[in-house]
Amino acid sequence: MLENFQLGLQVFITLPNILAVFIGVTAGIFVGAIPGLTATMSVALLVPLTFTMSPVTGLAMLIGVYKGGIYGGSITAILINTPGTPAAAATALDGYPLAKKGKALKALKMAIYASVMADTFSDIVLILVATPLAIVALKLGPPELTTLLILALTIVGLVSGKSLVKGLLVASLGVLFSTVGMDFMTGTPRFTFDSLEMAKGFPLIPVLIGLFAIPEILVQVEEKVRGTETVVLRKSPREEDNRVNFQELRGCSKTIFRSAIVGTFIGAIPGIGSVISSFISYGMAKRGAKHPEEFGYGSLEGVAAAEAGNNAVCGATLIPLLTLGIPGDSVTAVMLGAFLIQGLVPGPELIPKHPDVIYGLFVALMVANIANFLIANVGIRFFARVASVSKTIVFPTVAILCVVGSYAVENSLFDVKSMLFFGIVGYFMRKFDFPIPPFLIAFILGPMVENPLRQSLMISAGLSIFTVGWRQIKGKASGP
Amino acid sequence: MEIQELMRYDASTGLSPSVFPKLSLFLIGLFSALLIFSGLRSKEAIAREDRETLKMGSGTRVVITLIILAAYIYLISILGYLVATPLALGLLMWYFGERRWLLILSVAILATTGISVFFRHVMYIILPEGILFP
């Protein structure tokens, strides 16, 4: 592990990589601060831009965007009570009252401290857990992988929606869409309508750009867009309201630590995500607080709990992705796409096969935390002003980026058309309250289940996958 | 029974390629039926659906935006990226409610050239040049 770390450091510490992380974090906070543009969406839009970069550089940039985006959402949550990203909704509960009392800068700084501390904790857990878990996962053959992935499919279907049936329905639909194209084992064309382009199947990156970015644009256009509220960051005349002093930070440290544990735990379970984590952390902080009556009326501890809760998810969601190849939420599903276009297949073999990339990525996570801290501190005023950029400019530009980004991956206009098609699908799913993440995750996992399932049925000559799986595990456990 | 026929195993090729599509279609049918059934049973859900259909009222704006985007994708292959993009971007900004002409013009031109330069010189991707201006 230590020598791997050394390797990771050697791979990562180059000027382009460090620059990529800083650019990523800046872009992430920038986009996160604009209400309506989520962290998932910004990562999805930037994935096509990373595939000409080296794997470490590209992934490091996306990690930066993710972390920055989750923090950036808190800026407008605190200043104008409009969470920039859904994950910051809990931050607004106490952040906005604090801003009204003239303590906006204090709240923003607390958000930075809590975010970065919890994020670092989560990353350390990821680094400690990932390699041992991957070693265990490596012992799994196709039968065990199938059962594991089917389990993942059901978890995703169960947890992601308010309605169980809707989640499962959407997941089945995702599997159906994933079967489009040439079958990989027999070469049978499925749902291709005799089109050569359809034989490739639907391309992943355009699909996720369509699902996450287009619905957002369409929802915005439904009503005539009004210019965005002007966001002003007022500095308090009392200097102590503009910063977080050591006593306050120490007072909140217990809350931050608790939220970091909650967020890490939730992040490691596929399918829950940062929104729920921030609310659970907030609720727990309220119950454990000395002054629970202050919560909702401008408690600094509330801001710390919510922000620590949502940022602590960042590192931990990578645990199931890197070790088992299971994306835990929509952002990691998008990250999975980023791994795939680099030719890296997330799963048990990823860490043993590419220790340089993965440990480089681990170092990138840490550097991203430092970058997040520095850039957020220096740029507070600038990012607050960004939030007032007019929506009439932001959304049309994003629409153009969707088209160009989808085109860029394979220089194919079919990809762009797929993007628009899935954008419409995503819009209707949003309108009728169907959750999008189960669809995307099933779309990605579909072939991953089908492939080993059919392989293991061939290995066992049609016997149940369970018997074979059980024998293999037993055989390996008692073997040398 | 349909499901038995569906899972029938063929020793030479393994599971038939049609199993997954059929299985997912079967599940979609099953869950849709469940959804309709539970929707009909719960009065509260019916009331909620009503409100949701009301929210759909502004569909024309969505359709027009989609038409602009589709036209843009079509025009890229004919006029090329450099001509189609400022047109589409300007039109979209105007449709989104922006009325400051100078701003529309400058954003359309700056964003188009910015993206083009980035793709050509950083990512080495040449965006479609169209057939009219070879």
Side-chain angles (χ1 to χ4, degrees):
Chain A
M1 180 136 173
L2 268 180
E3 60 255 42
N4 276 337
F5 238 104
Q6 227 167 16
L7 180 70
L9 273 173
Q10 280 168 5
V11 172
F12 181 79
I13 303 293
T14 61
L15 192 63
N17 287 348
I18 294 175
L19 212 62
V21 169
F22 274 79
I23 292 173
V25 170
T26 314
I29 303 179
F30 190 95
V31 176
I34 298 173
L37 304 185
T38 62
T40 315
M41 180 174 161
S42 45
V43 178
L45 275 174
L46 284 177
V47 168
L49 308 187
T50 60
F51 81 108
T52 47
M53 304 176 181
S54 82
V56 177
T57 318
L59 293 170
M61 190 168 109
L62 294 177
I63 288 284
V65 173
Y66 180 24
K67 285 176 187 276
I70 295 277
Y71 163 72
S74 69
I75 296 175
T76 42
I78 290 171
L79 293 180
I80 54 170
N81 204 15
T82 311
T85 59
T91 312
L93 294 177
D94 275 301
Y96 185 59
L98 273 171
K100 276 202 293 196
K101 287 182 195 165
K103 295 180 180 175
L105 263 175
K106 192 197 250 322
L108 281 170
K109 293 228 162 117
M110 184 45 108
I112 300 172
Y113 294 136
S115 292
V116 171
M117 280 160 74
D119 213 337
T120 310
F121 174 84
S122 179
D123 293 342
I124 292 172
V125 172
L126 162 74
I127 293 167
L128 292 179
V129 167
T131 312
L133 205 63
I135 292 171
V136 176
L138 204 56
K139 293 202 194 309
L140 306 176
E144 294 82 27
L145 274 182
T146 315
T147 39
L148 191 75
L149 284 163
I150 292 175
L151 175 74
L153 270 179
T154 52
I155 290 179
V156 162
L158 290 176
V159 188
S160 292
K162 271 176 269 173
S163 149
L164 166 72
V165 181
K166 279 184 173 174
L168 290 172
L169 175 59
V170 161
S172 317
L173 197 66
V175 173
L176 183 67
F177 274 114
S178 78
T179 62
V180 172
M182 196 87 91
D183 168 40
F184 54 88
M185 282 179 88
T186 59
T188 318
R190 299 191 288 197
F191 303 111
T192 57
F193 300 99
D194 286 336
S195 143
L196 215 59
E197 288 170 319
M198 293 279 279
K200 285 188 305 179
F202 287 117
L204 175 61
I205 308 294
V207 167
L208 47 92
I209 291 179
L211 283 176
F212 288 110
I214 297 289
E216 209 62 66
I217 298 168
L218 295 180
V219 167
Q220 291 290 338
V221 80
E222 270 182 355
E223 283 151 48
K224 235 181 164 66
V225 186
R226 283 162 285 127
T228 318
E229 271 182 81
T230 330
V231 181
V232 212
L233 175 57
R234 272 188 217 88
K235 209 171 172 181
S236 168
R238 286 167 59 203
E239 198 43 50
E240 66 199 68
D241 282 349
N242 292 329
R243 55 192 171 84
V244 175
N245 63 35
F246 186 69
Q247 264 83 30
E248 286 164 326
L249 193 61
R250 210 179 53 188
C252 289
S253 62
K254 211 174 109 189
T255 304
I256 294 176
F257 189 62
R258 186 170 44 210
S259 304
I261 295 175
V262 171
T264 306
F265 186 72
I266 287 177
I269 305 171
I272 306 184
S274 48
V275 181
I276 294 173
S277 165
S278 63
F279 275 103
I280 291 182
S281 305
Y282 183 82
M284 282 180 76
K286 190 174 178 178
R287 248 173 286 141
K290 273 187 207 137
H291 305 285
E293 70 282 357
E294 282 179 12
F295 276 66
Y297 300 96
S299 160
L300 205 54
E301 225 177 317
V303 174
E307 274 304 299
N310 67 31
N311 260 70
V313 170
C314 293
T317 43
L318 293 174
I319 297 175
L321 181 71
L322 295 181
T323 57
L324 304 171
I326 298 172
D329 57 7
S330 42
V331 181
T332 36
V334 176
M335 291 290 289
L336 181 74
F339 276 93
L340 290 177
I341 58 171
Q342 295 285 1
L344 305 166
V345 183
E349 289 184 342
L350 182 65
I351 298 179
K353 260 193 186 164
H354 305 280
D356 50 333
V357 176
I358 299 307
Y359 278 84
L361 193 64
F362 287 166
V363 178
L365 285 166
M366 290 303 180
V367 175
N369 289 336
I370 300 169
N372 205 353
F373 183 76
L374 292 177
I375 292 173
N377 258 318
V378 174
I380 281 186
R381 295 182 161 276
F382 169 72
F383 290 119
R385 206 165 299 153
V386 160
S388 349
V389 171
S390 171
K391 283 183 178 175
T392 53
I393 294 168
V394 170
F395 286 96
T397 314
V398 169
I400 300 296
L401 281 176
C402 291
V403 172
V404 177
S406 314
Y407 176 82
V409 183
E410 287 192 23
N411 292 5
S412 139
L413 279 172
F414 170 73
D415 287 9
V416 183
K417 290 173 202 157
S418 313
M419 183 276 295
L420 198 61
F421 170 73
F422 279 94
I424 297 169
V425 171
Y427 171 73
F428 279 108
M429 281 166 64
R430 237 186 97 142
K431 276 276 89 145
F432 292 103
D433 221 7
F434 284 92
I436 291 178
F439 178 88
L440 179 65
I441 292 174
F443 178 81
I444 294 173
L445 292 186
M448 291 184 174
V449 175
E450 195 182 1
N451 190 359
L453 172 69
R454 287 166 71 180
Q455 278 172 348
S456 35
L457 282 174
M458 270 178 119
I459 296 171
S460 68
L463 292 175
S464 146
I465 49 166
F466 299 104
T467 42
V468 184
W470 174 237
R471 272 188 206 147
Q472 280 202 354
I473 291 175
K474 245 170 61 176
K476 270 172 187 155
S478 56
Chain B
M1 176 81 195
E2 169 75 0
I3 202 112
Q4 253 169 352
E5 194 254 343
L6 200 132
M7 298 298 274
R8 200 181 51 210
Y9 176 78
D10 179 350
S12 58
T13 55
L15 218 52
S16 153
S18 70
V19 169
F20 259 65
K22 279 184 183 163
L23 193 66
S24 46
L25 274 172
F26 171 76
L27 288 174
I28 291 171
L30 179 76
F31 294 129
S32 308
L34 271 173
L35 199 62
I36 293 172
F37 183 67
S38 64
L40 287 177
R41 270 187 43 160
S42 125
K43 288 203 181 100
E44 190 253 345
I46 292 173
R48 204 175 53 223
E49 291 301 320
D50 279 349
R51 254 181 281 137
E52 269 165 28
T53 21
L54 282 180
K55 268 198 292 181
M56 292 291 290
S58 40
T60 36
R61 292 186 62 84
V62 174
V63 172
I64 290 175
T65 309
L66 283 172
I67 290 174
I68 297 176
L69 278 177
Y72 169 52
I73 295 169
Y74 176 71
L75 283 179
I76 281 186
S77 54
I78 295 174
L79 297 176
Y81 165 84
L82 280 179
V83 179
T85 306
L87 289 177
L89 189 53
L91 190 61
L92 278 174
M93 282 193 283
W94 180 80
Y95 193 63
F96 268 68
E98 185 59 67
R99 289 295 179 272
R100 289 167 282 182
W101 283 104
L102 209 61
L103 193 70
I104 293 184
L105 203 68
S106 48
V107 171
I109 291 169
L110 280 179
T112 307
T113 43
I115 292 170
S116 173
V117 165
F118 181 82
F119 273 76
R120 193 180 283 256
H121 296 289
V122 182
M123 296 179 57
Y124 307 107
I125 290 170
I126 296 183
L127 294 162
E129 286 166 327
I131 48 175
L132 284 186
F133 312 98

